[in-house]
Amino acid sequence: MIDQQLAGISNLALVVTIVLYVLALIGFAADLASTAQRRSDERLAARERLQARAQQPRTVAAGRGPSTAADVPGAGAAGASPATGSSAAGSDDPAPAAGGLSAQRFAFILTCAATVLHLVGVATRAAATQRVPWANMYEFATTSTAVVMVAFLVFCIKRTELRSLGTFVIGPVLLVLLLAQTLWIVPAAALTPSLQNSHWMVIHIGVAIIATALSILGAVVASLQLLQARHERALVEAVESGEEHPEHWGRFGHVLDRLPASTVLEALSFRIHSVAFVCWTFTLIFGAIWARDAWGRFWGWDPKEVWTFIIWVIYAAYLHARATGGFRGSRAAGLALAGFVAVVFNYTIVNTVINGLHSYSGL
């Protein structure tokens, strides 16, 4: 028996969740933009002060040594090497104005509220259908994105500097939720007979959701790692060439200065993908056991089985490459992103275009 009233509440909760995520995205973006503008203004002001000092006659008072960078207010900050990526961003949450919240902190509070409402939407969908809320593409998308946001909040609680990644995490989550609400949404309904009365529906698909969520989060971190590494290399080259105030990618370069260093992002990406790989491994194992119960064989070269195995192989190659000393950094991150491309293909094209036994998209 489907409770359509609860299903409507679930849909409403998810729509409001999208609105809150949009506001949080604006808040995180405003924080990055204001930080970038402030640093750009500080560098410009320091440069002007240095030029004005250079044009004045150099007089040295008696008993005083030559002027240093410390004599120019702000020159020390401007002269600091930007090649450290996030070293200039040591403050993960800029000080708010007196009596108010910073944009980042306000966005983080909105994100927490949106995630709670997101979980409410998923839970009410489960209550409305009296089953697990991941029987079709719509429910899989809403549940997996909720897991992404919960994982992100856990990381942010443990390491507050990771809040600066909010823009780049909420963006993909919003995209998936908008696709779910517009292209993949289906009415609340009971399970198809082939999925009823099977505990593997909970185990196999539940682990697959965690694996997919971690792959999304890992892909975001790996992408930022590639951008940050290129940004840092360009700044190092500029400093070595003798530029007084090296710049790279303009305003976006200042945004990257706000993010953690590429080495920090690489370590985080490796941890996320390590757990994701374990989840993909169990997804394959549990799927094979369920296939034995349902279809009488462990493996049948169904498109879904093949592409899940491809995902597993790519992530295994990434972990193996990352474990070797000569295959780290950008090259390893490229493998991680290749695995995510396979995840996207498996979830979209395989579910909607390629015919197979795993035809549970609900579309």
Side-chain angles (χ1 to χ4, degrees):
M1 187 69 179
I2 305 301
D3 190 330
Q4 295 299 337
Q5 184 176 4
L6 271 180
I9 293 174
S10 171
N11 189 57
L12 177 61
L14 291 172
V15 170
V16 177
T17 295
I18 291 175
V19 174
L20 291 180
Y21 279 145
V22 169
L23 295 176
L25 180 68
I26 294 173
F28 280 122
D31 171 65
L32 290 177
S34 63
T35 303
Q37 181 63 53
R38 184 168 62 252
R39 288 184 180 154
S40 180
D41 292 343
E42 288 173 354
R43 291 181 181 182
L44 180 60
R47 183 184 303 178
E48 291 175 350
R49 287 194 294 268
L50 288 171
Q51 291 174 347
R53 172 64 69 98
Q55 292 173 358
Q56 294 176 356
R58 294 187 177 182
T59 58
V60 181
R64 179 183 177 188
S67 61
T68 63
D71 296 324
V72 183
S81 172
T84 57
S86 66
S87 60
S91 174
D92 55 89
D93 193 3
L101 290 174
S102 68
Q104 185 190 90
R105 192 168 299 169
F106 180 69
F108 184 74
I109 293 173
L110 276 178
T111 302
C112 293
T115 303
V116 171
L117 192 59
H118 194 163
L119 293 172
V120 169
V122 171
T124 50
R125 179 79 173 197
T129 56
Q130 299 180 4
R131 55 169 173 78
V132 290
W134 50 68
N136 49 60
M137 284 185 67
Y138 171 75
E139 295 174 354
F140 192 100
T142 55
T143 304
S144 59
T145 48
V147 176
V148 171
M149 294 309 302
V150 170
F152 173 65
L153 292 180
V154 170
F155 288 141
C156 289
I157 292 173
K158 295 179 64 177
R159 300 184 60 176
T160 56
E161 70 271 17
L162 296 180
R163 294 183 185 181
S164 58
L165 304 181
T167 303
F168 308 99
V169 174
I170 294 178
V173 167
L174 262 178
L175 175 62
V176 174
L177 284 177
L178 288 173
L179 288 173
Q181 288 295 122
T182 55
L183 299 180
W184 302 332
I185 188 169
V186 293
L191 287 174
T192 59
S194 60
L195 298 178
Q196 293 177 359
N197 302 320
S198 176
H199 59 278
W200 291 112
M201 178 68 182
V202 179
I203 301 172
H204 171 60
I205 307 300
V207 174
I209 283 176
I210 298 174
T212 303
L214 292 175
S215 293
I216 295 172
L217 192 57
V220 170
V221 177
S223 299
L224 293 175
Q225 172 199 334
L226 288 174
L227 291 174
Q228 187 70 288
R230 182 178 176 184
H231 177 60
E232 291 170 355
R233 286 195 301 269
L235 292 181
V236 169
E237 292 172 359
V239 170
E240 291 177 347
S241 65
E243 293 185 26
E244 289 188 23
H245 302 283
E247 300 284 349
H248 185 238
W249 285 343
R251 180 66 59 82
F252 186 67
H254 298 320
V255 170
L256 290 175
D257 289 339
R258 180 84 172 92
L259 303 183
S262 61
T263 53
V264 175
L265 294 173
E266 181 182 8
L268 179 61
S269 174
F270 178 71
R271 294 189 184 98
I272 294 173
H273 284 107
S274 297
V275 180
F277 174 74
V278 174
C279 293
W280 283 115
T281 301
F282 281 107
T283 298
L284 276 174
I285 294 173
F286 295 152
I289 298 173
W290 192 9
R292 177 67 178 81
D293 292 343
W295 301 318
R297 84 303 187 268
F298 289 104
W299 187 266
W301 297 103
D302 184 74
K304 197 75 170 179
E305 297 171 346
V306 171
W307 275 96
T308 302
F309 180 69
I310 291 173
I311 293 169
W312 183 87
V313 169
I314 295 175
Y315 281 133
Y318 162 76
L319 293 179
H320 176 73
R322 177 61 174 72
T324 61
F327 205 97
R328 295 190 177 187
S330 299
R331 290 185 292 178
L335 273 177
L337 292 178
F340 180 67
V341 171
V343 172
V344 174
F345 185 88
N346 189 32
Y347 183 68
T348 56
I349 304 301
V350 174
N351 277 347
T352 59
V353 177
I354 302 176
N355 292 325
L357 293 174
H358 293 76
S359 300
Y360 304 128
S361 67
L363 302 179

